[in-house]
Amino acid sequence: MAQQPGARGLVFNEPLIFEHGRKGRAGCDVPKSEFPEIDPATIAPSSMLRGPVEGLAEVSEPEAVRHFTRLSQWNYGVDSNFYPLGSCTMKYNPKVNEAAARLEGFAGLHPLQDFSTAQGALRVMYDLEKMLCEVVGMDAASLQPAAGAQGEFAGLLLIRAYHTEKGNPRKKVIIPDSGHGTNPATATLCDYAAITLPSGPDGLIDLALLEKEMDDDTAALMLTNPNTLGMFEKNIKKVCGIVHAKGGLVYGDGANLNAVMGKARFGDMGIDVCHMNLHKTFSTPHGGGGPGSGPVLAKKFLEPYMPVPRVTRRDGVYSLDFNRPKSIGALNAFWGNFGVYLRAYAYLLTMGGAGLKEASETAVLNANYILAKLRGVYHVPYNGTCMHECVLSDKFQQEHHVSTLDIAKGLIDRGFHPPTIYFPLIVKGAMMIEPTETESMETMDAFIAAMKEIAEVAKTDPESLAAAPVAVKVKRLDETQAARQPDLRYRR
């Protein structure tokens, strides 16, 4: 079996931290207070007093540091090795972005401090909005949404507010079946009926079907471009024309922006409103629930409905404007995920326009390199040039009773994080692979070799793949139970 850096090595057994240490042991010495001790019972009612705390881990500093270091060695991240999670854009995060986010003047900000003392932070937000508008060809942006799904939510609320002011919010939103899974949920949450539009045989929107489905009750078409098959909607201007002809608007899911930034802009395609994922495209590490940021961006005619507050600049002074009578309102507490803004801001400044374009080109080239090398070894459900991610399936391996899940587990033993599996839903046994622009040819060649080795093992020793992974601390889990009934609480 091929070995990769980090795939094996010193991985220690590690008990719970409660099983370390000894009663009375501490990680630091607390100096004696210079103030006299006061019995809390003399100054507070008994109902507000906490009793003795039992069961906390009592460990020294080395015990605590070694415990968490050993646990980290069980983990896998972008800093460990290739992380080809399709539709998630798990690119490497340059450490200069982290340094920017940790600058004392930013990290020490409090969301309630007076705006006059936070002019630098407000300028970052103001300038970042302008830069993001330039990237996607929109006129206005709000950084408020704290995730991509909330950006979608904000975008559809803008569309709803627009139609409502015109006299009719309309009833439905059309969503191609090659869109992201959050799209139907967002439409439903905004009180629209989500209408699925089947893809054509080329994996793109079927113009005839769209024309048939589009009517005066349709508020919007909600599309992902490039879509989750990794295909660019080459008829996008015709698509937008069909929707606009019936008075609808076009929402662009910008989660796959990494394929087109610097090359093509949503606004120029005819899209009216979109979101983007700062935590994907602009290199903030993500996963495990955050941190995220999903700004919403729109054409000028939708700007009055943007979330509050808006960052404004008058006479060189930055402030937050809440006086927006047509606004859809605030989306979260305070001003969004400022740490992610800083990372995106640093990334944009260091890359520049030419750098963004090169990143997109390299990401697309890398995905097509993997597709070309694995075509014939694995089934390719939709032919043609892919964008920043390619989709394969387990159709050939199913002949040996080896599934996509088995292939994913086999990759873990070979030192790679599995790709996205069983998505998009319109491909049976799908594997969605996204290398991003940050991977070298040597890394991709190693991944391709591992995939080819697994395909051979599927023919000769399929039972071994059914048992994978065997080289990690935790073997094959009941993933349904782990997701729906997680047992994360310590009990004696």
Side-chain angles (χ1 to χ4, degrees):
M1 186 184 299
Q3 288 297 300
Q4 296 301 315
R8 296 286 181 106
L10 295 176
V11 178
F12 299 95
N13 289 323
E14 184 58 26
L16 298 173
I17 195 168
F18 301 100
E19 297 167 12
H20 285 287
R22 182 173 296 178
K23 188 172 180 57
R25 188 171 293 169
C28 62
D29 293 322
V30 180
K32 185 174 177 57
S33 172
E34 60 184 288
F35 301 103
E37 286 192 13
I38 298 176
D39 182 358
T42 63
I43 58 173
S46 59
S47 61
M48 298 180 65
L49 298 178
R50 188 184 65 188
V53 178
E54 299 290 341
L56 289 181
E58 297 179 76
V59 295
S60 66
E61 181 176 320
E63 287 174 316
V65 169
R66 289 171 181 168
H67 170 75
F68 288 107
T69 300
R70 289 193 287 261
L71 285 184
S72 74
Q73 291 170 327
W74 293 12
N75 208 353
Y76 191 107
V78 173
D79 286 353
S80 304
N81 201 5
F82 186 30
Y83 207 125
L85 207 61
S87 211
C88 280
T89 312
M90 298 292 282
K91 64 168 73 175
Y92 175 76
N93 187 47
K95 299 311 173 212
V96 66
N97 302 350
E98 296 298 317
R102 285 167 172 73
L103 288 173
E104 186 179 355
F106 291 132
L109 282 170
H110 192 283
L112 289 177
Q113 72 185 65
D114 191 90
F115 298 152
S116 64
T117 64
Q119 287 294 293
L122 290 173
R123 179 182 171 181
V124 167
M125 295 166 66
Y126 184 88
D127 288 350
L128 180 58
E129 286 186 357
K130 301 298 180 192
M131 287 192 281
L132 297 178
C133 283
E134 179 64 24
V135 170
V136 292
M138 294 293 176
D139 300 312
S142 169
L143 304 176
Q144 276 246 325
Q150 198 183 28
E152 290 179 25
F153 178 64
L156 278 204
L157 286 183
L158 297 183
I159 290 173
R160 189 172 190 85
Y162 165 78
H163 286 306
T164 300
E165 187 174 18
K166 288 174 69 73
N168 179 11
R170 302 196 173 197
K171 297 177 182 175
K172 64 182 186 180
V173 170
I174 299 173
I175 303 170
D177 61 3
S178 59
H180 278 112
T182 48
N183 296 170
T186 299
T188 303
L189 198 59
C190 292
D191 203 23
Y192 284 116
I195 308 299
T196 301
L197 188 73
S199 296
D202 55 357
L204 304 177
I205 292 175
D206 186 316
L207 296 179
L209 273 182
L210 174 63
E211 197 138 26
K212 184 179 176 183
E213 194 64 55
M214 191 64 208
D215 58 24
D216 294 340
D217 279 336
T218 303
L221 170 71
M222 197 174 187
L223 64 85
T224 302
N225 195 19
N227 65 30
T228 60
L229 293 168
M231 315 293 283
F232 185 81
E233 297 287 353
K234 61 183 180 183
N235 298 315
I236 183 64
K237 286 205 169 183
K238 291 180 181 175
V239 167
C240 293
I242 291 171
V243 176
H244 289 153
K246 294 288 185 181
L249 301 183
V250 181
Y251 180 89
D253 182 321
N256 289 346
L257 184 65
N258 206 53
V260 295
M261 61 179 181
K263 302 288 291 185
R265 307 194 308 170
F266 290 157
D268 300 337
M269 299 175 195
I271 292 172
D272 302 293
V273 55
C274 68
H275 84 274
M276 60 173 66
N277 297 54
L278 297 189
H279 52 283
K280 292 182 180 182
T281 313
F282 303 113
S283 84
T284 296
H286 58 288
S293 180
V296 61
L297 305 98
K299 293 284 183 64
K300 189 72 177 176
F301 71 95
L302 290 172
E303 185 172 9
Y305 313 109
M306 280 288 198
V308 289
R310 300 295 311 283
V311 185
T312 60
R313 181 176 183 268
R314 293 189 180 92
D315 300 326
V317 177
Y318 298 91
S319 61
L320 295 173
D321 180 7
F322 292 84
N323 186 22
R324 300 273 174 163
K326 294 183 180 180
S327 168
I328 60 172
L331 291 173
N332 59 41
F334 301 116
W335 329 123
N337 199 338
F338 187 68
V340 181
Y341 304 165
L342 289 170
R343 291 174 175 88
Y345 189 69
Y347 181 83
L348 284 162
L349 289 178
T350 52
M351 294 289 283
L356 295 183
K357 180 182 177 186
E358 186 178 355
S360 289
E361 291 173 344
T362 307
V364 173
L365 180 64
N366 284 357
N368 279 282
Y369 180 73
I370 290 176
L371 178 64
K373 292 288 185 180
L374 293 180
R375 187 188 297 275
V377 180
Y378 291 89
H379 175 245
V380 178
Y382 289 90
N383 286 314
T385 303
C386 69
M387 297 299 286
H388 65 309
E389 55 197 4
C390 59
V391 177
L392 311 173
S393 89
D394 62 1
K395 185 176 180 179
F396 300 157
Q397 288 68 41
Q398 280 289 349
E399 296 174 9
H400 310 284
H401 306 290
V402 170
S403 68
T404 285
L405 184 64
D406 297 331
I407 296 165
K409 300 299 184 186
L411 276 171
I412 294 174
D413 277 340
R414 289 159 179 81
F416 293 103
H417 194 284
T420 296
I421 58 174
Y422 299 111
F423 186 81
L425 299 177
I426 54 177
V427 175
K428 187 177 180 182
M431 291 173 276
M432 180 189 274
I433 301 167
E434 181 177 356
T436 80
E437 70 277 12
T438 55
E439 299 306 328
S440 67
M441 180 173 282
E442 290 79 9
T443 299
M444 290 190 294
D445 282 341
F447 174 78
I448 290 163
M451 288 289 285
K452 288 183 174 178
E453 180 184 308
I454 290 171
E456 283 304 308
V457 172
K459 298 174 187 173
T460 58
D461 186 16
E463 293 80 10
S464 67
L465 289 174
V470 296
V472 291
K473 293 297 297 180
V474 179
K475 305 299 186 295
R476 194 174 291 213
L477 299 170
D478 181 335
E479 297 187 4
T480 302
Q481 184 176 355
R484 296 180 180 174
Q485 296 177 311
D487 184 5
L488 305 176
R489 195 175 71 176
Y490 170 72
R491 298 183 183 88
R492 285 182 177 276

